[in-house]
């Protein structure tokens, strides 16, 4: 029987994450009233991708969904240490909800494992692989183009298209991220997303320089 005093885990996890994104906005911009909440967009994209990957790979959907909602909950507060801090958060927070207690450790492990834009050693646990792949897929492709552009324009700094293109091009780690994907569907999608990303910026540059005029 469900304990009525416990929070519904999905709504509660979303609330925690949303509050963390607002705190990040206030920390970065002095206000949470900005035009684009990059972190929230990122996390909701990761949740959707993690659930699709769970379906395709047989990973446990509840585990990867909870891990996806919480994986960056400590991103702004703990920086580089946020996977470990997020895992500790999950261990403390999920028992206050109706989330299945026997899956909490798997959630914490997946959150702790999501570090790094590429990996020399692949992860071995399916749920950790799915979260890692979903998180990195959201940083490649057209999603990244719009997320990064939206994030940059949400601040008070003046941007030029040239600067945005330069920043996107500086992400020379993307091929290594594609090569580090664990699950076959993510590996295929990552390769296609990288091509779309590169083609978009190449086409934009041709337009801006007039190289498309013949
Ligand atoms: Fe992260
Ligand atoms: Fe993330």
């Amino acid at each position: 029987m469900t304990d009525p005093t416990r929070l519904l885990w999905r709504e509660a996890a979303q609330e925690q994450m949303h509050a963390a994104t607002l705190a990040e906005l206030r920390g970065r911009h002095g206000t949470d009233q900005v035009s684009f909440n990059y972190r929230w967009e990122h996390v909701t994209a990761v949740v959707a991708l993690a659930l699709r990957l769970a379906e395709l790979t047989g990973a446990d959907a509840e585990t990867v969904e909870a891990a996806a909602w919480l994986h960056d909950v400590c991103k702004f507060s703990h920086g580089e240490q946020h996977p470990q801090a997020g895992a500790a958060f999950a261990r403390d927070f999920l028992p206050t909800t109706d989330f299945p207690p026997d899956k909490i450790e798997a959630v914490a492990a997946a959150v702790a494992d999501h570090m790094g834009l590429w990996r020399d050693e692949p992860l071995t646990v399916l749920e950790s692989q799915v979260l890692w792949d979903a998180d990195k897929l959201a940083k490649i492709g057209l999603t990244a183009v719009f997320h990064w552009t939206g994030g940059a324009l949400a601040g008070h700094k003046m941007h030029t298209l040239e600067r945005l293109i330069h920043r996107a091009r500086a992400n020379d780690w993307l091929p290594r991220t594609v090569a580090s994907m664990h699950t076959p569907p993510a590996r295929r999608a990552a390769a296609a997303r990288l091509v779309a990303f590169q083609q978009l910026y190449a086409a934009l540059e041709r337009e801006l320089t007039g190289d498309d005029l013949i």
Side-chain angles (χ1 to χ4, degrees), residues 13 26 45 78 90 92-93 100 109 115 132 158 162 167 188-189 200 207 213:
R26 288 191 294 272
H78 289 74
D92 287 344
F93 164 72
M115 196 59 188
W132 197 94
M158 182 63 89
E162 201 186 353
R167 275 176 46 153
R188 284 191 290 272
L200 181 137
E207 288 188 14
L213 298 170

Side-chain angles (χ1 to χ4, degrees), residues 8-20:
L8 297 174
W9 72 264
R10 184 174 290 104
E11 285 73 12
Q14 285 170 0
E15 221 171 273
Q16 292 292 326
M17 188 58 222
H18 196 253

Side-chain angles (χ1 to χ4, degrees), residues 128-201:
S128 290
Q129 294 179 331
V130 163
L131 178 67
W132 197 94
D133 287 5
D135 184 39
K136 276 23 134 187
L137 272 177
K139 296 180 196 286
I140 308 173
L142 301 186
T143 309
V145 173
F146 288 99
H147 281 183
W148 293 343
T149 303
L153 299 184
H156 297 297
K157 232 188 266 165
M158 182 63 89
H159 282 277
T160 61
L161 267 187
E162 201 186 353
R163 190 172 136 82
L164 290 175
I165 294 171
H166 179 78
R167 275 176 46 153
R169 282 274 160 81
N171 291 299
D172 54 358
W173 43 268
L174 286 169
R176 268 180 288 174
T177 308
V178 174
S180 301
M181 288 290 164
H182 300 82
T183 62
R187 203 170 307 129
R188 284 191 290 272
R193 286 174 185 223
L194 181 56
V195 171
F197 179 92
Q198 288 166 337
Q199 284 178 344
L200 181 137
Y201 281 107

